[in-house]
Amino acid sequence: MGFARTCSVALVGVDGVVVEVQADLEPGVAAFTLVGLPDKSLTESKDRVRAAVVNSGGEWPQKKLTVGLSPASVPKGGSGFDLAIACAALGASERIDPRVLADIVMIGELGLDGRVRPVRGVLPAVLAATEAGYEQVVVPESAAAEASLVPGVSVLGVRSLRQLIAVLTDEPVPDEDPDEQGRTDPLAGLRMPGTGAATGMHSMDAAHHDHEHDLADVVGQLSARTAVEVAAAGGHHLFLEGPPGAGKTMLAERLPAVLPRLHRSESLEVTAVHSVAGLLPPGKPLVDVAPYCAPHHSATMQALVGGGQGVARPGAVSLAHRGVLFLDETPEFSSRALDALRQPLESGHVVIARSAGVVRFPARFLMVLAANPCPCGRFSQRDTLCECSPSMIRRYQARLSGPLLDRVDLRVEVDRVTRSQLTERGARGESTETVADRVREARARAAARLTDTPWRTNSEVPGRELRSRWYASPGAMDDAERSLERGVLTARGLDRVLRVAWTVADLAGRDRPGVADVTLALQLRTGVPRGVPMAIGASR
């Protein structure tokens, strides 16, 4: 009887669980049994592993082979266990010394010819292995750069099972031809189809270097530009309301470039989510810029918050973690999908319960809503172009629930661009680079103030902490408190006004919010003009 064991990792959401892969050989009729709560894709690994071992020059044991995945109570799926199952079987047949396999974590799918192919979720799997105390990890060569992002672990990238067998048995390592350059990636199935910029799911790395996405290209819209700057500086949610063609989408697309680059810990969080979703950019394993996700208004609740059949997958709110979630034509989304955003907006994560288990995805994002004022889009207090009846306008605007809008910090009306603004030469607003520098300085002030706390931006600070530790100037909150008494603001709204006021003060370089800062915050919160200038940059 032969026995061997090695390790792999099962993913539950973006968290990994180290799984011990045990192989046992007994005399009897040749058979291959896989136990330990595997799903359909994992059950099929029996045929893949057998073919890969034979085509790699190995001999498949003609005995009763039982492979167990422990702990058996954890659901396991995917093809990432192939490599560990093959090596455990070879260890049980003594082709590989079982003692060599015991302390190695193996992650990878096997092709029928023995090639080792990449799988989703390599980064969170290696993180889980490191936290469990393992120091050696074997991954596909194409995923070695991603695995190497985790410090304190030795990563071995292999192209084929033949190479791995040679390394583990101290034999000469055979040369394997790399994939041909310039041809279509045969592993493109790992990435979700249609994940380019045109579909709204992409990393805005190019926006930090591409002058085609510059805030200076936005004509007019001083109030909206100021709101974008405040949103980026404090991480505040934003609602842009205005007629079609006014520039709402342009402003949202330029927001990620204004946000600071992600810190190391934030980059690992974002990269882990994108790795599980199969969305990592080719050749760039670490996502270090704010992601941008703009789902179509036909997206379901599962597409927004995560879910799906079997093990839940991350949704748009998680793919936009530490970045921007842009919901264009917001009233056209289903009310069920929009109301599902309430909890992640407050908690910063999504918990999805399924019969297969409960998963938790991070979801701390900056939400930008865009909507027309009415079905035809021409309703305005300044003209009478709109042909919609008052009841139609009320029904259209009521599609956005009060509890959802109460969680939005900034509400701005985007005006129609005039002919003089479009044709005027030389009148360009501030560039993305200028605004981004001011945002970085404001975030640095907020981070210094929030040192030794679990928060980094003003939008994350709970209201009770703001009221008890960081005060506005005497009398600065009087107008906001009167708005609370009149019912214009809720208690949550009052806290959000104070958060926005702190962000305005940080942008202006002041130590604490004054009357002008709170008044501007109140104007941005309610959308009601209060006679204060909107150009923060010009006031410095």
Side-chain angles (χ1 to χ4, degrees):
M1 182 181 71
F3 177 83
R5 63 183 179 89
T6 187
C7 293
S8 190
V9 178
L11 291 177
V12 181
V14 291
D15 299 318
V17 178
V18 176
V19 174
E20 188 175 271
V21 181
Q22 305 167 347
D24 177 69
L25 273 178
E26 296 180 356
V29 178
F32 188 174
T33 305
L34 183 63
V35 298
L37 209 57
D39 70 353
K40 179 65 174 177
S41 62
L42 184 50
T43 304
E44 293 176 348
S45 68
K46 296 187 292 184
D47 298 321
R48 291 194 301 268
V49 169
R50 183 187 293 109
V53 170
V54 173
N55 291 327
S56 298
E59 183 179 350
W60 186 256
Q62 298 301 312
K63 297 181 180 180
K64 181 182 179 181
L65 173 63
T66 303
V67 174
L69 308 177
S70 178
S73 59
V74 177
K76 305 167 190 72
S79 56
F81 292 87
D82 289 3
L83 199 58
I85 292 173
C87 288
L90 292 173
S93 63
E94 299 183 352
R95 174 66 176 87
I96 302 175
D97 187 351
R99 294 172 296 180
V100 177
L101 301 173
D103 296 324
I104 301 178
V105 174
M106 301 184 183
I107 305 162
E109 175 187 332
L110 286 174
L112 299 183
D113 58 354
R115 285 184 304 159
V116 181
R117 308 179 65 163
V119 294
R120 295 186 179 100
V122 169
L123 177 60
V126 177
L127 283 170
T130 304
E131 292 173 357
Y134 291 89
E135 299 178 352
Q136 291 181 300
V137 177
V138 178
V139 298
E141 186 181 54
S142 58
E146 180 184 348
S148 299
L149 296 174
V150 182
V153 62
S154 175
V155 178
L156 173 63
V158 294
R159 293 180 184 171
S160 67
L161 181 59
R162 284 183 293 271
Q163 285 188 339
L164 181 57
I165 294 174
V167 170
L168 296 177
T169 57
D170 293 328
E171 298 175 359
V173 179
D175 291 331
E176 296 285 351
D177 295 331
D179 290 333
E180 295 180 15
Q181 300 296 322
R183 69 180 183 183
T184 302
D185 186 3
L187 307 178
L190 283 177
R191 295 187 291 276
M192 293 173 60
T195 55
T199 62
M201 181 59 243
H202 59 102
S203 175
M204 292 294 290
D205 187 35
H208 289 263
H209 312 283
D210 188 359
H211 297 290
E212 293 182 2
H213 293 84
D214 198 322
L215 269 175
D217 298 332
V218 180
V219 178
Q221 311 301 357
L222 178 61
S223 299
R225 289 171 57 92
T226 300
V228 166
E229 181 177 346
V230 173
H236 305 288
H237 305 303
L238 173 63
F239 179 31
L240 300 173
E241 186 178 24
K248 302 185 293 295
T249 302
M250 287 183 65
L251 288 163
E253 288 177 343
R254 284 151 178 77
L255 178 56
V258 180
L259 294 172
R261 284 188 175 270
L262 302 179
H263 296 278
R264 177 71 179 184
S265 59
E266 296 172 340
S267 295
L268 290 178
E269 290 177 7
V270 175
T271 303
V273 175
H274 285 228
S275 177
V276 170
L279 291 175
L280 285 183
K284 190 177 186 299
L286 183 66
V287 180
D288 59 354
V289 295
Y292 174 84
C293 186
H296 190 261
H297 63 257
S298 61
T300 63
M301 185 181 71
Q302 289 78 12
L304 282 182
V305 301
Q309 296 181 351
V311 179
R313 291 290 180 87
V317 297
S318 297
L319 297 176
H321 180 58
R322 302 294 181 186
V324 176
L325 176 68
F326 177 48
L327 303 182
D328 198 7
E329 303 294 346
T330 310
E332 303 299 334
F333 283 80
S334 71
S335 58
R336 187 165 173 258
L338 290 176
D339 289 339
L341 298 175
R342 298 183 196 175
Q343 289 86 350
L345 286 175
E346 289 292 326
S347 62
H349 62 265
V350 174
V351 177
I352 302 173
R354 292 290 186 271
S355 59
V358 179
V359 297
R360 182 181 185 272
F361 293 115
R364 189 168 295 282
F365 54 91
L366 195 163
M367 182 179 68
V368 179
L369 307 179
N372 298 325
C374 66
C376 76
R378 294 178 293 180
F379 176 74
S380 174
Q381 302 294 338
R382 300 178 179 84
D383 51 49
T384 58
L385 297 176
C386 178
E387 298 178 355
C388 302
S389 65
S391 60
M392 292 173 60
I393 297 175
R394 284 195 301 270
R395 282 197 301 268
Y396 184 80
Q397 296 179 348
R399 294 180 184 179
L400 301 182
S401 66
L404 176 64
L405 292 180
D406 196 38
R407 289 166 167 82
V408 177
D409 299 340
L410 313 174
R411 183 167 181 170
V412 178
E413 182 177 347
V414 182
D415 297 326
R416 184 181 292 106
V417 180
T418 63
R419 176 182 176 182
S420 61
Q421 290 175 326
L422 281 174
T423 58
E424 186 178 3
R425 295 185 179 182
R428 287 167 57 91
E430 292 180 310
S431 66
T432 294
E433 184 178 359
T434 301
V435 176
D437 290 340
R438 197 157 56 239
V439 167
R440 280 194 295 270
E441 294 175 4
R443 287 219 174 189
R445 293 189 187 96
R449 182 172 64 253
L450 300 174
T451 303
D452 299 328
T453 70
W455 315 294
R456 300 194 59 177
T457 60
N458 293 323
S459 63
E460 300 174 7
V461 183
R464 64 180 182 278
E465 297 291 338
L466 281 174
R467 293 189 296 270
S468 61
R469 297 177 60 178
W470 294 287
Y471 305 99
S473 300
M477 293 294 293
D478 290 347
D479 196 10
E481 291 170 357
R482 284 193 293 269
S483 296
L484 175 66
E485 293 176 353
R486 294 196 300 266
V488 177
L489 290 178
T490 63
R492 180 192 286 121
L494 183 65
D495 291 339
R496 292 183 179 274
V497 167
L498 184 54
R499 291 190 187 112
V500 174
W502 270 108
T503 301
V504 174
D506 289 335
L507 285 167
R510 288 187 276 271
D511 294 334
R512 64 171 57 189
V515 175
D517 300 323
V518 175
T519 304
L520 177 56
L522 195 57
Q523 178 171 311
L524 289 170
R525 167 70 185 180
T526 61
V528 178
R530 293 177 179 269
V532 292
M534 295 292 293
I536 295 178
S539 64
R540 295 189 61 195

